[in-house]
Amino acid sequence: MSRSLRPLASRARRAPTWFALFQSQAAAARPLREQICAAIRGAIQSGRVRHGERLPASRTLAADLRVSRITAEAAYAQLETEGYVRRRVGDGTFVDIAVSADDAPSTHHPLRRAAARAVWSRRGAEIVRGGGCVDPRETMAFSAGFPDLSEFPLDTWKRLTTRRLRRDGPALLGYGDPAGEPALRAALARYLAQSRGVRCTMDQVLVLTSSQQALQMVATMLTDPDDTVWIEDPGYRGARTALAAMGARLRPVPVDAEGLVPPARGPGPRPRLIYATPSHQYPTGVTLSLARRLQLIEDAAARGSWIVEDDYDSEFQYDARPLPAMQGLDGGDHVIYVGTFTKVLFPSLRLAYLVLPPALVRGFVTARTAHDGHPARLAQLVTADFMEEGHFAAHVRRMRRLYHQRRDLLLSEIRRRLDPWCRPIGGGAGLQLTVALPRGREVALTRAAARAGVTTPGIRGLFGSRARLDGWLLGFAALRDDAIAEGVRRLSRLARDRVSPLPRPWPRHLDPGADRA
């Protein structure tokens, strides 16, 4: 113990009883002022020094503890600031806080409080119960939804970033437009019109940080507790989480080979929202047919509902030219379009967007100011430059070819090594391939795959009603050819003599790509 700290411990034995607290405080490697404050707080919190009781004068305290009077004065001043003591000139220093007998601990140590217990709101409890939305942090066979970041043109991105900083400098450090940078919104409006048939002006584009934030904002602004929402079954967990957290009543709507099956009109609550992934249904991979799209738009108009079109992975279509977005068919009156840069560029960019019907724009921009103000300006402007100069389109074309080749390799390996107990469903787009497993075997096979060092995200948890299918979502986009082949080889060892083959003929409504070579 240092020479300056020793007196605190030794004097504590001769000082009034509450100074015994200095014995523990003196051992702490803290300034003397903090040791004195901690000891007096402890004495007050433990109830050993009562409200109104007079404390030693600062001169006396300093002499007893063999510290400077400046240190003692500083300690009292700190305690007065915190509300523990009250000082009256010419009268002294008094305890100014009362601790009831019920609050005082049984020992002579500083007040020990019981650990706080989380008491969630109904919405908070729903989010916790749903498990949230956790994205993969590393690439391994077969983590789903992970793009190949090693192929991103980082040198081009660096150059554009440096140029923007040099050009705009300090101007980028201020607050931005809550709707997003005009340059990016204009670039998005042009890109979506050309590539997806979306009909909008830049004023209808709202830039956000993620598609999950977009879904959360839609749920917040357009649903009240107990409102009915139609949602695909099976469907995207993030949408279910966002909508259920707002107290919506989710009505699972089944999916077949033509996508979501619109319920027949009849009595019952109208849906406030209809959530769909028409270009590449999650997780089955089927495409919503044109007839179903038109029917759904007509239903929404007749019922006064909003359609939420989540157009995830629309850039990565492999076997056929994708149908235009539903938003373009509707003309933008009843469809809210959701898109993101997470998979097509890189996840940490944190940029996504909504294309809103004109009637919703003002309210959503106002809500954006209440959520987090505005997106990061530099990232938006660099992304706008990346799009305007043609780098975005070139990157999408290159990655589409690469992912197409990896998808084909995964299909080939599965059919060669895992048939007949594991068969692909769809697979015409996206960064992962859905495969069906023998009924009742998903959980056991997933555990066995994990023991073999292979990640195989299951699909049973994506059903809102009773699960009608066992299977996996196998991510392939970020995997090299050898990793894909080795992952399938490991899975093939799980099935030997332990897994029954899937029934033949294979249910056609679950495998729209069954005839594809």
Side-chain angles (χ1 to χ4, degrees):
M1 184 182 298
S2 69
R3 182 179 63 82
S4 61
L5 299 181
R6 244 183 240 112
L8 293 179
S10 61
R11 284 285 180 178
R13 291 190 291 272
R14 303 198 305 270
T17 55
W18 60 270
F19 274 100
L21 289 165
F22 279 116
Q23 290 180 323
S24 61
Q25 296 300 327
R30 290 188 290 176
L32 292 174
R33 178 181 63 84
E34 287 299 323
Q35 295 181 35
I36 295 170
C37 287
I40 295 176
R41 286 191 205 101
I44 295 172
Q45 292 172 346
S46 67
R48 300 176 66 197
V49 181
R50 303 291 184 180
H51 178 260
E53 186 172 338
R54 183 173 180 172
L55 299 180
S58 60
R59 188 187 302 273
T60 303
L61 183 68
D64 281 346
L65 299 177
R66 297 181 185 176
V67 299
S68 71
R69 187 179 178 188
I70 293 175
T71 300
E73 282 284 349
Y76 276 163
Q78 177 66 33
L79 291 166
E80 184 176 28
T81 300
E82 296 174 3
Y84 281 93
V85 303
R86 174 173 42 86
R87 309 185 76 187
R88 294 198 297 264
V89 177
D91 197 8
T93 301
F94 300 85
V95 176
D96 199 35
I97 187 171
V99 179
S100 69
D102 292 337
D103 292 335
S106 58
T107 66
H108 297 319
H109 293 287
L111 184 64
R112 293 186 178 131
R113 295 178 176 86
R117 183 173 65 89
V119 180
W120 305 114
S121 66
R122 288 174 56 191
R123 289 176 175 174
E126 186 62 37
I127 291 173
V128 173
R129 188 190 67 79
C133 304
V134 182
D135 295 311
R137 299 290 295 275
E138 59 182 348
T139 58
M140 59 182 298
F142 289 98
S143 300
F146 210 104
D148 190 343
L149 303 181
S150 68
E151 296 292 331
F152 184 76
L154 197 56
D155 289 340
T156 300
W157 192 264
K158 290 178 182 177
R159 178 174 58 80
L160 296 177
T161 302
T162 300
R163 190 181 69 187
R164 265 293 172 182
L165 287 170
R166 185 170 57 247
R167 178 192 302 172
D168 298 328
L172 293 176
L173 306 182
Y175 293 104
D177 190 326
E181 291 298 310
L184 179 57
R185 290 189 284 123
L188 275 168
R190 286 190 290 272
Y191 164 71
L192 293 172
Q194 295 167 4
S195 67
R196 301 296 298 123
V198 171
R199 297 161 59 183
C200 70
T201 67
M202 61 174 284
D203 293 333
Q204 292 173 251
V205 179
L206 177 64
V207 181
L208 301 165
T209 58
S210 67
S211 58
Q212 192 61 35
Q213 185 190 39
L215 295 173
Q216 197 75 42
M217 187 173 290
V218 169
T220 300
M221 295 298 291
L222 297 178
T223 66
D224 287 316
D226 295 328
D227 278 348
T228 297
V229 174
W230 291 356
I231 189 165
E232 296 167 323
D233 190 39
Y236 177 50
R237 188 192 305 275
R240 199 161 66 220
T241 298
L243 294 162
M246 293 297 108
R249 292 183 180 274
L250 304 186
R251 177 179 177 180
V253 181
V255 172
D256 65 12
E258 293 186 60
L260 179 146
V261 183
R265 295 185 195 177
R270 71 176 180 89
R272 283 280 288 171
L273 296 178
I274 302 169
Y275 174 82
T277 52
S279 297
H280 180 220
Q281 201 279 327
Y282 189 92
T284 65
V286 301
T287 299
L288 187 64
S289 67
L290 179 59
R292 292 271 179 88
R293 293 173 187 235
L294 295 174
Q295 181 183 349
L296 208 56
I297 291 170
E298 182 181 343
D299 284 350
R303 300 173 190 265
S305 307
W306 300 103
I307 297 172
V308 181
E309 179 180 12
D310 190 342
D311 206 29
Y312 84 105
D313 285 355
S314 62
E315 293 84 2
F316 304 121
Q317 298 279 341
Y318 308 127
D319 298 322
R321 184 174 180 84
L323 289 173
M326 287 180 64
Q327 194 271 358
L329 295 173
D330 171 59
D333 289 334
H334 300 92
V335 177
I336 301 167
Y337 183 92
V338 182
T340 178
F341 289 106
T342 294
K343 304 298 192 297
V344 69
L345 293 182
F346 53 94
S348 67
L349 181 60
R350 310 313 298 151
L351 285 179
Y353 48 91
L354 285 171
V355 178
L356 296 161
L360 300 181
V361 171
R362 182 176 179 181
F364 269 73
V365 173
T366 301
R368 181 62 200 273
T369 66
H371 275 73
D372 61 351
H374 61 89
R377 299 190 64 198
L378 178 60
Q380 292 183 80
L381 291 171
V382 174
T383 303
D385 294 341
F386 194 77
M387 297 180 75
E388 288 296 293
E389 296 181 15
H391 306 298
F392 181 82
H395 179 62
V396 169
R397 286 194 299 270
R398 190 160 61 88
M399 300 312 291
R400 186 187 295 123
R401 288 194 297 268
L402 178 63
Y403 295 160
H404 191 169
Q405 177 266 320
R406 290 176 179 174
R407 190 286 311 261
D408 287 349
L409 175 61
L410 179 58
L411 279 174
S412 174
E413 289 292 309
I414 288 174
R415 287 167 177 158
R416 184 164 70 95
R417 295 180 179 275
L418 303 184
D419 189 85
W421 67 271
C422 174
R423 293 193 188 141
I425 302 174
L431 308 185
Q432 59 272 329
L433 176 69
T434 303
V435 297
L437 300 171
R439 182 173 293 276
R441 299 305 305 273
E442 179 186 307
V443 174
L445 286 172
T446 299
R447 290 172 179 167
R451 289 193 294 270
V454 182
T455 298
T456 52
I459 65 174
R460 288 185 64 85
L462 302 179
F463 284 88
S465 59
R466 181 178 59 85
R468 293 173 285 114
L469 184 67
D470 286 66
W472 289 330
L473 273 172
L474 303 182
F476 58 82
L479 301 179
R480 303 294 182 183
D481 290 359
D482 57 346
I484 292 174
E486 175 60 23
V488 176
R489 274 195 295 271
R490 293 188 183 188
L491 292 180
S492 69
R493 300 188 191 112
L494 306 180
R496 292 172 184 170
D497 304 323
R498 291 190 295 170
V499 180
S500 302
L502 287 164
R504 292 184 183 275
W506 179 240
R508 188 171 182 81
H509 74 281
L510 293 178
D511 189 7
D515 297 330
R516 184 175 58 244

